[in-house]
Amino acid sequence: MLSLEEARAAILGRIRICGEVEEVSLRQALGRFVAKELCARVDNPAFTNSAMDGYALALADLVAAGFELPLRGESRCGDPPGILTRGTAMRIFTGAPLPDGADAVVIQEDIRLERGKVVFPRTVQPGQNLRRRAEDFHAGDSLYAPGRRLTAYDLALLSSAGVDRIPVYPRARALVVATGDELVAPGTPLKPGQIYESNRLATLLQLEALGVEVVDGGTVPDEPMALRALLKTCAGYDFVITSGGASVGDHDFVRQVFSEIGEIDFWRARIKPGKPLAFGCLGERGHFFALPGNPVSSLVTFKLFVEPAVFAWNHAVPDTMPEFAAKAGNGLKRHPGRTEFVRARLHLDRAGHLIATALRGQGSHQIGTLRDTNGLIKVAEDSAGFEQGDTVIAIPLSLDRL
Ligand code: AMP
Ligand code: MG
C-alpha cells in the first residue's frame, strides 16, 4: 500500500507532459495554460499621468508665486502630453498626460478660484497625485512564465500590456466512462437493483472546468467483452478516466482489461475515502485513471490525483489543494492508518477565525453530504482524530460557499 504522497508522486512522475503549443486570442485564453514566457510590450503606465481631476503645476513656480497661479490650458484623456507654461497651472483630468514641466497635481476639491487665479493649499508635495510612467511594469518585463493558468484578471493585465495572442498548450483530450451493470441514467425509471449514475457527470464537468476537451463515453457494463470494445476507442486521448470496477471483486475487470494495452499500476493507497485506484500510461501519449465507483471516493480521488495530473500535463505546478490551519468546530474519533479527507463545512467566526466542522454522513456512498460541503478536513495518517477546538488542516473547495 502506498501513502497519499507516494501515490501522487508515482502518478506525477509518469505524466508525459504536453509537447505542442498553439496560439489563441485573449478572449479564448481563459483557463488555458501559458506555453511560452509572456513579456510586456509597453510600459504601464505608458506615460506619467494624473491620478485625479485637478490642476497640474510646477512646485518651484507655486512657491515662487506665493501659492497662486494663473490658469493656462487643459490636459484631457487621449491628448498627447502638452507643455506647462512657466508660472501657470494647467487644468488636468484623471488619466490625462502630465504636461512637460509639471511635477504635481492638486485635486480640484482643494483649490479656490479667485481673481482669475487658482489658489492652492500650502501643503502641496512634489509628485503628489501622479501615476508615474512604468511604475507598474516596464516594456520587456516578464509577466507570465510557462505553466501559469490564466484567469480573467491575468488576461486584463496582458491586454493592458499590449499582448494580443497567447501561446498556450492545446486542450488536453479526455474520454470519461462509467462502468457498472447497475448504472442507469436519470430520466429512466429504476428497475430493482439499479441505481442512477453520477460519477461520469462529475468527472466530465470537473475536467471541463480545467479546460479539458471531454468526450462522454457513456456507461459500459461489467463485462470483459464490453471493456475490450472500449479499449479500441481509447487511442488519441491524453486521459482516459473510468469509474467503478477497479477493485478486485469477481466482476471488476477494468484494471485487468486495460492492462492488455497499457502498463497499469493498481494501488490500495492509504487514503480515505478513495481506495482502490489504478493509474497507467496508454500508447504514445495517453494516461489512464480508474477511479473508485463510490461517488465520494471518485470526487476525492479526482481532486487528489486527476486534477494535479492535468496541471502537470500543462507544465504547471499542481498545487491544486491549498491547505489552511483551522479550528475544529467539533470532534472526530477514528482509527489511524490512512490519510482521511473528511467532508466539512468551513466558516469564519465573529473573530475572523476559520472554523472547520466535520459533517455527519461520511460514508463514501453518501453524496447527500456534499450539499453542505465547502471544504475538507485533512487528517494525517497516524492521527486518531481531533477534539473540538484543535487546530486541523482545512482545504477549501468552494470559497463562494464560505
Ligand atoms: P465499484 O467501484 O464498481 O465496486 O463500485 C462501488 C460502489 O459505487 C457501488 O455501490 C456502485 O454501485 C457505486 N457506483 C459505481 N459506479 C458508480 C457511478 N458511476 N455512479 C454512482 N455510483 C456508482
Ligand atoms: Mg462496479
Side-chain angles (χ1 to χ4, degrees), residues 178-179 182-183 195-200 243-247 252 292-295:
T179 74
E182 73 280 31
L183 306 174
I195 64 165
Y196 288 125
E197 198 280 317
S198 61
N199 297 344
R200 197 176 84 226
S243 97
S247 198
D252 293 332
N294 274 310

Side-chain angles (χ1 to χ4, degrees), residues 366-399:
Q366 287 178 292
I367 198 167
T369 310
L370 290 177
R371 189 182 53 245
D372 295 321
T373 299
N374 63 356
L376 299 169
I377 297 172
K378 181 181 176 183
V379 189
E381 234 178 51
D382 59 2
S383 162
F386 47 84
E387 307 274 345
Q388 180 177 2
D390 280 358
T391 299
V392 293
I393 298 172
I395 299 170
L397 291 178
S398 59
L399 287 173

Side-chain angles (χ1 to χ4, degrees), residues 56-100:
L57 53 90
L59 201 56
D61 292 355
L62 186 67
V63 174
F67 291 86
E68 287 188 12
L69 294 169
L71 187 59
R72 182 80 52 85
E74 179 174 276
S75 177
R76 294 165 54 160
C77 284
D79 286 347
I83 295 168
L84 183 73
T85 307
R86 302 270 355 217
T88 71
M90 187 184 279
R91 185 79 170 113
I92 194 165
F93 300 94
T94 307
L98 187 74
D100 271 3

